[in-house]
Amino acid sequence: MAVAASGTRERPVPLRLRRRAVVAGIVVLWLVLFALLRGRQTLALAAADLTSLHRWFNDVNDTIGADRNSNPLFLYFFNEIRLVIDTLVTFVQTLVSQPPDGRPVPQIGWLGVVAVAGYVSWALGNWRVALLAVAGFTFFGLQGLWQESMDTLALTLSAVLVALLVGIPLGVWAGMSSRVNRVVTPVLDFMQTMPTFVYLAPLTLFFLIGPASATIATLVYAAPPAVRITAHAIRSVPATTVEAAESLGSTRAQTLTKVLLPMSRRTVVMGVNQTIMAALSMVTIAALIDAPGLGKTVVQALQSLDVGTAFNAGLAIVVMAIVLDRVTTAAAVRSERTRHPGGRRRWRGPLLGAGAVAAAVAVWLSHTYVWAAEFPGEGGAGRSLASAADTVTTWAQDHLSGLTNGVRDVLTTALLNPFQTLLTDSPWWLTGLVLVALGAVLGGIGAGATAAVCVGLLVGTGLWQDAMTTLASTAVATLLVMLLGVTVGVWMGRSALADRIVRPGLDAAQVMPPFVYLVPFLALFGASRFTAIVAAVVYAAPVTMKIVADGVRGVPATTVEAATAAGSGTWQLVTKVQLPMSLGALVLATNQGLIYVLSMVVVGGLVGAGALGYDVVAGFSQGELYGKGLAAGLAIVLLGVMFDRITQAAAGRTTRVPGRR
C-alpha cells in the first residue's frame, strides 16, 4: 500500500486553467479596489476642453496651413502628390460624373457608362454578370442618384488604379523576396488593424480637405490587400515548378512573367477584388473630409436623422458593392477557365467584337446628345424608396418601440453601463494596470509590454475617459459578436447544408461598407450608442461566424467519431471536443471581431455613440477641435494595436503544443 502511495504522482494543473484562475483573480482585485477608489484620478475631460497636446496639434495645423505654399517639403512633395492625384480624379470625374469646362454634361453620359459597364462585365465575366451590371447602373439613375453614384465610382476607380500600380509590384517583390516580406508584413498588419476613420485626420493635415485627400486616404487603406494577396499568390506557386523553369534556363524576369504571374493570376485578381471593396468602403467614409458621392449623402442624412434619404443612398452603395464584387469575382473565375478553353470560346471573340462596337456607339451617342447623357426621369424610384423607408421607420417606432427600447434598456442597464462605469470611474492607473496584467497573462510578456506602451500613450492623448468609453462599447459588442458567431459558426461547421445556406449571405454582408449598417438600426433604436453597438455586432458577426465554422469543420473526423462512439451527445461533442479543439480559431475570431467592432463603433459617432468617434467627427467639422480629433484618431490606433497584439499573441499560444512532461 505504501509502495502504491509513493508511486502515485499528483497531476499538474493545466496551464489553461491556471491562466483562467489568474484572470479571475485580477478581475476580483480590480472590483475590490474600484469599490474603494471609485471616482478618483479618472482623468475626465469635458467635451469642449482641450489639453496642451490638442492645442499643439492645432498650432501645427495652423503652421502647416500658413507655410503650405512656401515650405519646400510641401512645394515639391506633398503639393505635387496632391496635384497629381487631384488631376487624376478630376479627369475621371469629367469622364463620367462632372461636366468639364465648355460642356453641360460629362464626356460620357449615362447611356455610354451603362453600355461600357455591361460590356466590361461581359468581357471579364459572363452575360449574367453583364446583366447585373446594366441593371445596377440603371438603378442608380432611377434612384435619382446618378451623379452621386458616378462620383463615388470615379473616386473608387482612381484610388484602385494607384493602389494597384503600387500594390501589385510591391506584392510581387515581397512574394519573391523573404527579406522584403518580413519587412512589409508588420507594416501591412498595422495598416489593416487601424479603423478607417484613422486615416482621415492626418492626411487632411498634409493634403487639405477635399477629393484629393479622400482619394489618397482610400488608396492607402486599399493598398494592403493588393500587396498581401499578391505576395501570397507568388509564394503559393509550387517550388518544383519554379525550379523546373530555372533549370531550363529561364531568367528571373522570365520566371516571373512566364511562370509565377500566370499561375497566380486568379489569386491576384481576387486581390484586386478585395482592393476594390476596401476602396469603396473608404470612399464612402471619406465623405467626412468632403469627398463627393453617395457617402456624402449618407453622412448628411445620418446627421439630420433622415432615415429615408440615408436608406436610398445606402441601397445605392450596396448595389455598387455587389456589382463590383460580382464582376471581379467572375473575372477571377474566367482567368482560371482560360487555361482550359472549351468549345464555346470560338464564338466569344466575334461576339465581344460586336459588343465593343455597340458600346462604342453608345459612348458616342452619350457624348453627342443630351438625351443620352442626362439620365431620363427625376428619380421617382428613389423618392418612393425614401418614402417607404420613412413609413416603415414611423411604423417601427410606433409599434415596436416597446420591444426595441426594452432590448436597448436591458442590455444598456445590465451590461454596458456597469462595465463602462468600471472602466471610466476607476483610477486611470488601476484600469491601466489591469489592462497590462490581462495582456501579459493572455498574450505573454510581449503583449503585456505592448499594452503598457499603449496605456501610457492613451493617457498622453488626454482622452483617457473617452477611450475607456469606446473600450466599453467595443468589449460589449465583441461579447455579443462572439455569442452570435459561436452559435451560428458551430451550426455551420457541423452541417454542410447550413453552411451552403448561410455562407452566401455572410459573403454578401462582408461586401457592404460599414455606413450602410447604421441606417436600419437608426430607424429601430434612434440615435444612441446602442445603435452603434448593434450595427457593429451585425457588421462583425459574418467574419467571426466563418472563422468559427472553419475551425469546427477542421476538427479531425476520427476524433469526432471516437467521441460519438464513446457515448457523447451533441452538447458534449460540441463543448468537450469541437470547441476546445478549435480554440485557436475562436481566439482568431475574437481578434477579427474586435477589429471590426472597433471600426464600426467609431463610425457610430455619427449617430450618437459619442466618445472617440464623436471627437473625430467634431474635429473635422469644428476647426478649434481639430487637434482633439487628431488625438482621438491616435487613441483609436492605440486601442486597435493593443487589442490586435493581445489577441494575436493569445491565438499563437493556444495553437502551440506544450511540451510533454
Side-chain angles (χ1 to χ4, degrees):
M1 188 73 175
V3 173
S6 62
T8 302
R9 187 170 57 182
E10 185 179 348
R11 283 187 175 185
V13 178
L15 180 60
R16 192 179 303 159
L17 294 180
R18 294 205 299 269
R19 284 183 192 149
R20 291 177 183 172
V22 173
V23 169
I26 292 172
V27 173
V28 170
L29 180 60
W30 184 15
L31 293 173
V32 171
L33 292 176
F34 167 76
L36 297 174
L37 303 172
R38 180 175 182 177
R40 304 179 188 177
Q41 299 175 314
T42 58
L43 301 182
L45 185 71
D49 290 346
L50 302 176
T51 68
S52 56
L53 177 66
H54 306 159
R55 295 188 184 91
W56 182 77
F57 280 150
N58 283 339
D59 292 340
V60 169
N61 185 39
D62 293 339
T63 301
I64 288 176
D67 297 342
R68 190 175 300 277
N69 295 320
S70 58
N71 189 307
L73 185 62
F74 281 88
L75 282 175
Y76 303 110
F77 184 69
F78 290 118
N79 288 357
E80 291 298 318
I81 293 176
R82 184 174 184 273
L83 178 62
V84 170
I85 297 298
D86 195 43
T87 302
L88 173 62
V89 173
T90 301
F91 171 73
V92 179
Q93 283 183 307
T94 58
L95 282 181
V96 296
S97 64
Q98 299 288 343
D101 293 338
R103 281 181 59 88
V105 292
Q107 298 287 357
I108 304 176
W110 76 270
L111 184 62
V113 171
V114 171
V116 170
Y119 177 75
V120 170
S121 302
W122 180 29
L124 296 178
N126 53 57
W127 64 269
R128 296 182 184 85
V129 177
L131 287 179
L132 175 66
V134 169
F137 276 69
T138 303
F139 183 63
F140 300 147
L142 295 175
Q143 288 180 283
L145 296 171
W146 178 259
Q147 182 168 330
E148 292 86 345
S149 300
M150 292 305 99
D151 278 328
T152 297
L153 182 65
L155 263 64
T156 301
L157 293 181
S158 301
V160 168
L161 175 62
V162 180
L164 294 180
L165 287 176
V166 175
I168 290 181
L170 184 57
V172 170
W173 191 18
M176 298 182 68
S177 170
S178 298
R179 180 180 300 174
V180 173
N181 189 58
R182 285 194 299 270
V183 173
V184 168
T185 298
V187 178
L188 298 179
D189 290 340
F190 178 73
M191 292 174 69
Q192 291 191 293
T193 298
M194 292 192 293
T196 50
F197 257 30
V198 175
Y199 289 90
L200 302 181
L203 286 171
T204 59
L205 189 65
F206 298 102
F207 299 105
L208 296 176
I209 289 176
S213 292
T215 306
I216 293 169
T218 301
L219 70 89
V220 170
Y221 179 72
V227 177
R228 188 187 295 276
I229 295 176
T230 301
H232 170 72
I234 297 296
R235 290 196 306 272
S236 298
V237 175
T240 53
T241 304
V242 178
E243 292 168 359
E246 292 175 345
S247 67
L248 293 174
S250 295
T251 63
R252 189 176 179 85
Q254 290 173 324
T255 301
L256 173 63
T257 57
K258 303 295 184 182
V259 179
L260 293 174
L261 287 178
M263 294 192 68
S264 58
R265 181 167 51 186
R266 177 172 182 174
T267 306
V268 171
V269 175
M270 292 308 298
V272 174
N273 170 277
Q274 293 301 303
T275 301
I276 292 174
M277 293 299 101
L280 180 59
S281 174
M282 188 65 182
V283 161
T284 55
I285 292 177
L288 292 170
I289 56 173
D290 204 30
L294 296 168
K296 194 168 189 176
T297 304
V298 174
V299 169
Q300 292 172 346
L302 290 176
Q303 291 176 333
S304 61
L305 304 182
D306 184 352
V307 175
T309 301
F311 175 80
N312 188 42
L315 183 60
I317 294 172
V318 171
V319 171
M320 183 173 291
I322 292 173
V323 169
L324 294 177
D325 178 64
R326 289 296 88 202
V327 170
T328 49
T329 302
V333 174
R334 175 158 292 280
S335 70
E336 183 69 19
R337 289 179 178 173
T338 53
R339 303 169 68 182
H340 309 284
R344 296 182 181 178
R345 183 175 173 80
R346 61 186 177 184
W347 297 103
R348 185 171 173 80
L351 290 175
L352 285 175
V357 172
V361 170
V363 169
W364 178 80
L365 290 172
S366 69
H367 178 78
T368 307
Y369 298 102
V370 174
W371 64 265
E374 294 181 346
F375 197 91
E378 299 179 356
R383 288 195 298 272
S384 298
L385 286 169
S387 177
D390 286 332
T391 301
V392 171
T393 299
T394 302
W395 181 89
Q397 292 172 347
D398 291 342
H399 295 83
L400 301 179
S401 58
L403 176 62
T404 56
N405 291 344
V407 172
R408 181 190 63 196
D409 294 343
V410 167
L411 287 176
T412 301
T413 304
L415 194 60
L416 180 59
N417 285 347
F419 188 50
Q420 181 174 315
T421 300
L422 179 63
L423 285 169
T424 58
D425 286 5
S426 294
W428 70 267
W429 52 266
L430 175 59
T431 305
L433 286 175
V434 169
L435 292 174
V436 173
L438 291 176
V441 172
L442 297 175
I445 299 300
T450 301
V453 172
C454 290
V455 165
L457 293 175
L458 280 171
V459 173
T461 64
L463 297 171
W464 175 261
Q465 199 163 66
D466 282 354
M468 292 303 100
T469 301
T470 298
L471 174 58
S473 298
T474 302
V476 169
T478 303
L479 175 62
L480 298 176
V481 164
M482 290 309 299
L483 289 174
L484 186 60
V486 169
T487 302
V488 179
V490 168
W491 180 42
M492 292 171 59
R494 289 174 52 83
S495 170
L497 177 61
D499 189 84
R500 286 196 300 270
I501 294 173
V502 176
R503 191 172 289 266
L506 301 182
D507 293 339
Q510 286 190 275
V511 168
M512 293 189 291
F515 263 11
V516 177
Y517 289 89
L518 291 175
V519 177
F521 298 109
L522 177 64
L524 287 175
F525 299 104
S528 68
R529 56 183 175 163
F530 185 75
T531 300
I533 289 175
V534 177
V537 170
V538 177
Y539 177 60
V543 67
T544 61
M545 292 175 186
K546 291 165 73 172
I547 293 174
V548 172
D550 292 341
V552 170
R553 193 178 300 107
V555 175
T558 52
T559 304
V560 176
E561 292 169 0
T564 304
S568 295
T570 301
W571 178 253
Q572 292 173 315
L573 195 62
V574 170
T575 58
K576 302 296 184 183
V577 179
Q578 291 175 311
L579 284 180
M581 294 190 69
S582 307
L583 190 59
L586 292 176
V587 179
L588 178 60
T590 304
N591 169 272
Q592 292 299 296
L594 271 169
I595 300 304
Y596 274 65
V597 163
L598 179 61
S599 175
M600 191 64 187
V601 165
V602 174
V603 173
L606 291 168
V607 291
L612 295 177
Y614 171 80
D615 292 333
V616 173
V617 174
F620 291 132
S621 58
Q622 304 176 44
E624 67 274 10
L625 296 180
Y626 178 85
K628 193 172 186 178
L630 197 59
L634 175 60
I636 295 166
V637 173
L638 294 171
L639 286 176
V641 169
M642 183 167 62
F643 290 154
D644 183 67
R645 184 67 187 90
I646 292 173
T647 50
Q648 288 278 20
R653 296 181 77 175
T654 57
T655 55
R656 286 198 294 267
V657 180
R660 298 187 181 277
R661 298 180 63 177

